[in-house]
Amino acid sequence: MTKPMVYVTRQVANEAIAMLEAVADVEVWAEDRPIPRDVLLQKAEEASALLTMLTERIDEELLMRAKRLRIVANMAVGYDNIDVAAAKRHGVIVTNTPDVLTEATADLAFALLMAAGRRLVEANRFLLAGGWTSWNPYLMVGQNIYGATLGIVGMGRIGQAVARRAAGFGMRILYHNRSRRPDAERTTGAQYAPFDELLRESDYVVLLTPLTEETRNLMGEREFSLMKPTAVFVNVSRGGTVDEAALYRALVDKQIWAAGLDVFQQEPVPLDNPLLSLPNVVALPHIGSATYQTRLEMARLAAANIAAVLSGEEPVTPV
Ligand code: GLV
Ligand code: GLV
């Protein structure tokens, strides 16, 4: 009997590949750039399983051609790159990698909050450019983190992990979520707030919602205008949740004070994106879950999902 074929769209941990090799023939896109669309389509036609990154678009066109495909295991918690409804119609299971990346992503969200609030990147550039010629009491002053009000938009697992960190900084925590989370309120002390109230009252607004039709351009001109002129906006969700032109205007017009961005409308973000020209923007290349340990766990979980489905078992983390 011929083994099923698993196609992996980026080099991942050997340990995960070995898990797949136990149940399938494994092929890997080994180049250090995203797999070209035509290669992906061609490999999808032969594959029983795809282990994908957030850079791969899994849509009707691909699914129609992928007659043997049984599972798409996305190595990310977000899955806005996958047309889940179409996958369902084609009988293809979709899985993601929740939980294993929660703490690392919350660490990064908090790091970005602190970097933007205390001007870490700007101060580092200033020093390296020879700007530190004397000390003065207003040199690179930023905003308090300790005791400030944090507004978390999207109180899922990552939002709750950010709230736990904020508790250690003595922050007052507000959150907004589609549904209230009494459990999270009890464990983190966060208080539910209507969206506009959260925007008005928070010193730091951290966006952690998945990208859906409801959250596309969630933060626009109106929303930024409600925020404090001293407020810091942090986005660790998806670039599509923010109207970047509105964010740029809000920063330039001093409607808000700074921003920390791990995600952009277009990724990799083009260097002529006006946001990158602002000293009060800390920009990162979508590295929310990027630690050695977490990326290993994510690859293992994606592989475990594929191994389960190819063995006729239930996937571990279906979406
Ligand atoms: C990264 O953005 C993820 O969704 O895991
Ligand atoms: C989203 O899925 C989260 O884990 O917060």
Side-chain angles (χ1 to χ4, degrees):
M1 209 178 86
T2 62
K3 278 187 174 174
M5 193 272 267
V6 176
Y7 197 77
V8 182
T9 64
R10 266 299 168 106
Q11 255 172 351
V12 296
N14 291 336
E15 203 181 310
I17 299 294
M19 288 167 69
L20 295 170
E21 280 170 346
V23 294
D25 290 326
V26 181
E27 286 184 40
V28 179
W29 174 256
E31 289 184 38
D32 188 22
R33 61 183 175 117
I35 183 171
R37 178 78 178 167
D38 56 327
V39 180
L40 177 64
L41 289 176
Q42 180 210 324
K43 293 297 177 184
E45 284 182 3
E46 306 157 33
S48 297
L50 293 174
L51 196 162
T52 53
M53 308 297 129
L54 49 84
T55 38
E56 277 73 74
R57 190 161 40 84
I58 305 299
D59 55 8
E60 178 65 33
E61 180 195 25
L62 181 146
L63 291 159
M64 217 158 55
R65 291 170 60 167
K67 301 273 185 251
R68 298 184 194 165
L69 191 60
R70 293 163 64 190
I71 171 171
V72 177
N74 211 38
M75 199 176 110
V77 68
Y79 45 86
D80 48 284
N81 56 312
I82 300 174
D83 184 340
V84 176
K88 198 173 182 151
R89 283 197 303 277
H90 288 272
V92 173
I93 291 168
V94 177
T95 63
N96 65 343
T97 57
D99 306 319
V100 293
L101 51 60
T102 297
E103 302 295 338
T105 306
D107 282 346
L108 193 279
F110 218 83
L112 202 42
L113 177 162
M114 296 187 79
R118 295 299 302 270
R119 303 172 69 175
L120 297 193
V121 175
E122 186 187 356
N124 177 250
R125 284 201 201 112
F126 169 84
L127 180 152
L128 294 177
W132 191 18
T133 52
S134 68
W135 186 87
N136 90 64
Y138 282 92
L139 180 61
M140 288 292 151
V141 291
Q143 304 292 342
N144 268 353
I145 295 164
Y146 177 83
T149 297
L150 169 65
I152 299 173
V153 181
M155 197 61 156
R157 289 156 290 215
I158 300 168
Q160 292 175 45
V162 169
R164 288 197 301 276
R165 283 155 180 74
F169 284 76
M171 296 178 103
R172 172 181 172 232
I173 308 164
L174 303 177
Y175 79 96
H176 185 75
N177 199 63
R178 225 170 12 169
S179 53
R180 274 188 81 143
R181 292 293 178 90
D183 47 331
E185 292 177 23
R186 270 193 306 277
T187 55
T188 68
Q191 295 166 262
Y192 176 84
F195 189 41
D196 288 4
E197 186 183 318
L198 178 147
L199 295 174
R200 280 196 195 94
E201 295 210 4
S202 298
D203 299 305
Y204 294 86
V205 172
V206 178
L207 202 56
L208 284 162
T209 58
L211 177 63
T212 64
E213 282 322 304
E214 286 159 57
T215 63
R216 190 173 296 282
N217 290 325
L218 178 68
M219 292 298 298
E221 191 180 339
R222 189 192 76 87
E223 288 70 27
F224 289 119
S225 78
L226 296 176
M227 289 174 62
K228 297 182 185 181
T230 50
V232 174
F233 173 70
V234 175
N235 190 7
V236 192
S237 62
R238 285 291 182 270
T241 55
V242 175
D243 175 344
E244 288 181 350
L247 173 59
Y248 176 77
R249 279 195 303 275
L251 286 161
V252 168
D253 297 346
K254 312 237 180 290
Q255 279 177 355
I256 71 170
W257 192 75
L261 307 171
D262 188 40
V263 290
F264 294 86
Q265 292 265 3
Q266 187 187 335
E267 296 183 3
V269 62
L271 287 180
D272 62 359
N273 182 318
L275 286 167
L276 302 185
S277 69
L278 301 177
N280 51 344
V281 169
V282 180
L284 299 178
H286 202 148
I287 56 171
S289 60
T291 69
Y292 290 109
Q293 299 85 350
T294 297
R295 285 288 151 83
L296 174 60
E297 290 303 316
M298 291 165 70
R300 284 165 46 98
L301 181 51
N305 275 305
I306 290 174
V309 168
L310 295 186
S311 311
E313 291 158 23
E314 292 298 315
V316 191
T317 49
V319 308

